[in-house]
Amino acid sequence: MQAEEAARRWLADQGVSHVRDGWVSDEKPDALLTANEVAHSWAGDVFAEDLDAADQVRLAFGLLDLLDEYWVTREIRFANEGAEGPLPADVMWDGYRQRLEADRDSEAVTYSLWVDWFEDHATSATAFAEVLGNDIDRIVAEQSKALLRRARRVLECSGPVRWTVKELTYRTAMRLPALHSAVFRGLLASFHDVYGDLEPAVALTFLGQLDLPTNTQHLAELRHVLAAGHKNHYRSPGAWDDALRSCS
């Protein structure tokens, strides 16, 4: 909440304020702006502020809390890779972890992880380790609501992460029945995502160890394609349709 209020004050200093139906700027007070338009127009300016890099990152995450727009995370990534980058890794990844644990919608954050960090093999291993892999043992041991919330959200969008990077984390998460559904959705995404990655034999073994309702959607189909040795929907055209027919 403090970060969000700091971002609200910062936007006000830029002449941007919230009204009932959206946002307005002092420059064009009659033009109603969406949160997405505000993000595209002002989020990048955070990293030109006369603040140290850590405070710039905190302000950017406050803007994300305030606007709930994916584009803010893009500006964070741009700044991390820009001429003044990289950003302080501890502050940046702590910002992701906090929002993955928060009891509020996290779609912008999980989408950012999925398409910007996990699909890029140059960053996926580090990103996955920072948001889940490094502390999966602690999460399974402590089982707090916030930590489990983070684990579920990361597992479910981890399809593009290389199997060699995520296998041990999946295996550890499977020790906790509360994470079985999230592991299943991670396996399903690992098969279906364009950049999804898995090893069929090991994934099939994992699938057999999950305690899932027998009517779990696509459980039978996923078992079918893995048993046939298929690694990815897009590398095996027709395999999923065949599974749908066989399991109907």
Side-chain angles (χ1 to χ4, degrees), residues 58-79:
R58 294 185 185 100
L59 180 58
F61 274 108
L63 203 59
L64 175 62
D65 294 339
L66 182 63
L67 300 175
D68 193 26
E69 287 292 338
Y70 159 71
W71 189 257
V72 179
T73 69
R74 289 294 293 150
E75 293 291 355
I76 293 172
R77 177 76 188 258
F78 292 153

Side-chain angles (χ1 to χ4, degrees), residues 79-99:
N80 187 63
E81 297 178 344
E84 301 299 319
L87 299 172
D90 57 340
V91 180
M92 183 177 71
W93 292 118
D94 188 56
Y96 272 93
R97 287 189 293 266
Q98 286 181 29
R99 283 144 189 91

Side-chain angles (χ1 to χ4, degrees), residues 184 188 191-192 198 200-201 203-205 207-208 218-232 236 238-248:
F184 168 72
L188 190 64
F191 179 78
H192 277 300
L198 54 70
L204 183 62
T205 300
L207 201 60
H218 299 317
L219 173 59
E221 290 86 353
L222 184 59
R223 185 181 292 117
H224 186 279
V225 294
L226 294 178
H230 298 296
K231 296 185 65 168
N232 182 269
S236 300
W240 189 256
D241 288 341
D242 180 59
L244 289 171
R245 287 190 296 269
S246 298
C247 299
S248 62

Side-chain angles (χ1 to χ4, degrees), residues 41 47-48 67 108 117 132 135-136 150 160 175 178 216 218 243 247:
S41 297
F47 296 99
L67 300 175
W117 297 98
L132 184 59
D135 52 4
I136 185 62
R150 167 155 61 98
R175 294 180 355 218
T216 298
H218 299 317
C247 299

Side-chain angles (χ1 to χ4, degrees), residues 33-235:
L33 301 170
T34 65
N36 188 47
E37 289 171 327
V38 173
H40 274 79
S41 297
W42 282 278
D45 293 347
V46 166
F47 296 99
E49 283 293 304
D50 186 20
L51 299 168
D52 65 37
D55 285 337
Q56 289 177 343
V57 174
R58 294 185 185 100
L59 180 58
F61 274 108
L63 203 59
L64 175 62
D65 294 339
L66 182 63
L67 300 175
D68 193 26
E69 287 292 338
Y70 159 71
W71 189 257
V72 179
T73 69
R74 289 294 293 150
E75 293 291 355
I76 293 172
R77 177 76 188 258
F78 292 153
N80 187 63
E81 297 178 344
E84 301 299 319
L87 299 172
D90 57 340
V91 180
M92 183 177 71
W93 292 118
D94 188 56
Y96 272 93
R97 287 189 293 266
Q98 286 181 29
R99 283 144 189 91
L100 289 164
E101 293 175 9
D103 187 16
R104 59 178 286 180
D105 181 73
S106 66
E107 183 177 355
V109 176
T110 53
Y111 187 74
S112 168
L113 287 176
W114 176 39
V115 302
D116 293 329
W117 297 98
F118 290 171
E119 285 191 349
D120 184 348
H121 284 168
T123 60
S124 63
T126 296
F128 186 75
E130 289 285 356
V131 295
L132 184 59
N134 287 346
D135 52 4
I136 185 62
D137 288 299
R138 179 170 69 91
I139 291 171
V140 169
E142 294 184 13
Q143 301 181 36
S144 73
K145 287 184 179 180
L147 291 175
L148 290 177
R149 190 179 295 120
R150 167 155 61 98
R152 289 189 186 100
R153 287 168 168 172
V154 175
L155 287 167
E156 289 174 5
C157 70
S158 64
V161 178
R162 284 178 173 165
W163 184 253
T164 53
V165 171
K166 65 192 176 188
E167 178 184 354
L168 181 58
T169 299
Y170 277 33
R171 192 182 297 275
T172 304
M174 287 166 53
R175 294 180 355 218
L176 193 61
L179 292 177
H180 281 198
S181 291
V183 172
F184 168 72
R185 285 190 284 272
L187 291 171
L188 190 64
S190 297
F191 179 78
H192 277 300
D193 282 2
V194 173
Y195 299 103
D197 191 43
L198 54 70
E199 285 300 325
V202 183
L204 183 62
T205 300
F206 284 5
L207 201 60
Q209 295 172 359
L210 298 177
D211 184 12
L212 301 169
T214 55
N215 63 346
T216 298
Q217 188 176 26
H218 299 317
L219 173 59
E221 290 86 353
L222 184 59
R223 185 181 292 117
H224 186 279
V225 294
L226 294 178
H230 298 296
K231 296 185 65 168
N232 182 269
H233 184 122
Y234 295 91
R235 279 173 265 171

